[in-house]
Amino acid sequence: MTEYTMNSIKIREISNGLVLENVNDFNAKHIFDCGQSFRWNKEGDNSYTGVAFNKVINISSDSDDKKVTILNTSLKDFEGIWFKYLDLNRNYRDIKRKLSSDSIMKNAIKYGSGIRILNQDPWEILISFIISANNRIPMISKSINLLSEMYGQPISYNGKTYYSFPTPEGIGSAGISDIEKCRAGFRCKYIKKAAEMVKSGEIDLKDIKEMETHRAREELKRIPGVGAKVADCILLFSMEKHEVYPVDVWVKRVTEHLFLKKETKVNEIHDYAKGRFGNLAGFAQEYLFYYARELKIGKN
DNA sequence: TTGCAGGGGTCAA
DNA sequence: TTGACCCCTGCA
């Protein structure tokens, strides 16, 4: 049996995948339920099956044993895709230690101790978070799945058919009445326009990813349906801008409730987060979002 | 059974 | 700064 090591993670090949050992700060539930992705479904055995980068994989984790199992993959794909996607090169122990200077963050981090910020595809995140505006999570997932069924490629796994996320060409060439079949309502016109802009090269997501954060945000906001919050989600979840602090209703509530103790304007919340969490604000946001939403903190 | 509020915001006035 | 907005669910 051959074993490999990447960043102190031991990798062992099994018949249909890989077993990773000595993985710190990794909990599948925390990662896939903390709001950064809409394409991971919980299975009966508490594992998660998801579609990303035109592949379907299944991930389960045992935090106590520091063990992660990835099914339907290969060593080659792990090295080429999943190691980066799962952010396994990052030391979350350091991040958590730096953010734990007060008891409030300590509790939030303890609650979502296995959160990692995925490195997702900017194009997929762009469309997904346009759909998220004034919407509910089950509906967002449903619309993304319908879009994928209509314009993506089928992928079979475990007797089920999944669909890859569509390309800009796929959605950009579709008519508005077809896109409306994804049930995203008034957001459909934004989806179409965004796809056309990416398809034509008017918006180059690769370029934007390389830009300084402020300029990248302004560039993203040129896309219809992308305001401050959606732009920040794109920056944090797909462009490695970890200093941004996307403020949605939950984050606004939890920041007010736990820290500011009063109603506060979104701009002031940004300033506060920048001052308090610095270049780790994005990580803080994820711990707080998960903590707030799971425990309904600040609601009412 | 029907009706209404409201949701991971954005846009236009 | 304020409403409207597709679609759907939960709850009177």
Side-chain angles (χ1 to χ4, degrees):
Chain A
M1 172 70 68
T2 319
E3 281 205 349
Y4 306 86
T5 303
M6 287 177 78
N7 190 25
S8 81
I9 295 168
K10 279 191 202 161
I11 307 157
R12 185 157 48 85
E13 291 186 276
I14 56 175
S15 61
N16 184 30
L18 305 169
V19 174
L20 316 180
E21 284 170 304
N22 198 32
V23 186
N24 291 307
D25 314 301
F26 190 114
N27 181 311
K29 175 175 166 48
H30 298 171
I31 293 170
F32 301 123
D33 284 347
C34 74
Q36 58 182 323
S37 182
F38 301 102
R39 297 210 77 193
W40 288 89
N41 291 320
K42 193 175 194 171
E43 306 287 358
D45 63 357
N46 288 330
S47 69
Y48 285 77
T49 304
V51 190
F53 295 103
N54 305 316
K55 316 263 183 193
V56 175
I57 59 172
N58 175 276
I59 297 184
S60 48
S61 68
D62 183 333
S63 314
D64 294 334
D65 283 350
K66 298 185 177 190
K67 199 170 105 177
V68 176
T69 305
I70 309 180
L71 299 180
N72 202 34
T73 193
S74 62
L75 186 63
K76 181 168 167 282
D77 278 355
F78 178 72
E79 289 174 339
I81 303 173
W82 308 122
F83 184 74
K84 177 70 182 174
Y85 178 79
L86 297 168
D87 211 25
L88 290 171
N89 203 31
R90 194 177 309 282
N91 187 340
Y92 279 76
R93 182 140 304 175
D94 267 4
I95 293 169
K96 294 197 285 187
R97 185 173 46 73
K98 286 176 186 159
L99 287 174
S100 290
S101 56
D102 60 78
S103 60
I104 298 171
M105 279 309 293
K106 217 172 258 177
N107 288 336
I109 288 170
K110 190 175 172 192
Y111 196 80
S113 61
I115 287 176
R116 288 176 165 266
I117 296 187
L118 300 169
N119 291 295
Q120 303 183 76
D121 173 42
W123 155 247
E124 176 173 338
I125 294 300
L126 164 65
I127 299 300
S128 299
F129 280 87
I130 284 176
I131 293 173
S132 79
N134 192 228
N135 207 344
R136 295 178 183 201
I137 291 173
M139 279 302 303
I140 302 167
S141 299
K142 191 177 176 186
S143 289
I144 294 172
N145 285 334
L146 285 168
L147 270 181
S148 301
E149 280 174 34
M150 288 189 287
Y151 304 109
Q153 297 299 316
I155 309 166
S156 297
Y157 173 62
N158 250 357
K160 279 179 70 178
T161 305
Y162 298 81
Y163 293 86
S164 65
F165 193 80
T167 61
E169 291 73 25
I171 298 181
S173 310
I176 186 70
S177 56
D178 278 331
I179 293 176
E180 279 168 352
K181 289 176 186 156
C182 81
R183 321 309 299 159
F186 65 86
R187 308 166 194 84
C188 291
K189 57 183 182 289
Y190 302 145
I191 295 171
K192 177 162 174 57
K193 184 63 184 166
E196 285 170 352
M197 288 173 88
V198 173
K199 180 186 165 202
S200 72
E202 184 182 349
I203 284 286
D204 187 328
L205 295 168
K206 247 188 203 142
D207 276 359
I208 295 176
K209 186 172 177 177
E210 300 307 316
M211 290 175 189
E212 169 278 321
T213 301
H214 177 73
R215 193 165 153 234
R217 180 186 289 113
E218 293 310 306
E219 194 66 13
L220 287 169
K221 281 162 73 177
R222 289 176 47 216
I223 305 167
V226 179
K229 191 271 176 178
V230 170
D232 281 352
C233 286
I234 298 167
L235 292 168
L236 179 59
F237 300 141
S238 71
M239 296 188 171
E240 300 188 67
K241 307 296 191 194
H242 296 124
E243 73 276 29
V244 305
Y245 191 82
V247 178
D248 58 44
V249 288
W250 285 100
V251 172
K252 184 170 187 295
R253 276 200 293 254
V254 73
T255 311
E256 288 169 345
H257 186 81
L258 295 179
F259 297 105
L260 297 156
K261 310 290 184 193
K262 64 178 169 70
E263 279 252 3
T264 309
K265 292 196 171 109
V266 173
N267 279 336
E268 292 175 39
I269 292 182
H270 279 134
D271 294 343
Y272 179 81
K274 191 176 178 183
R276 187 171 188 115
F277 307 122
N279 60 358
L280 298 177
F283 298 102
Q285 191 267 9
E286 283 302 278
Y287 292 118
L288 288 169
F289 176 82
Y290 182 72
Y291 187 50
R293 200 162 66 89
E294 295 282 314
L295 299 181
K296 309 253 181 283
I297 294 172
K299 186 136 188 176
N300 301 330

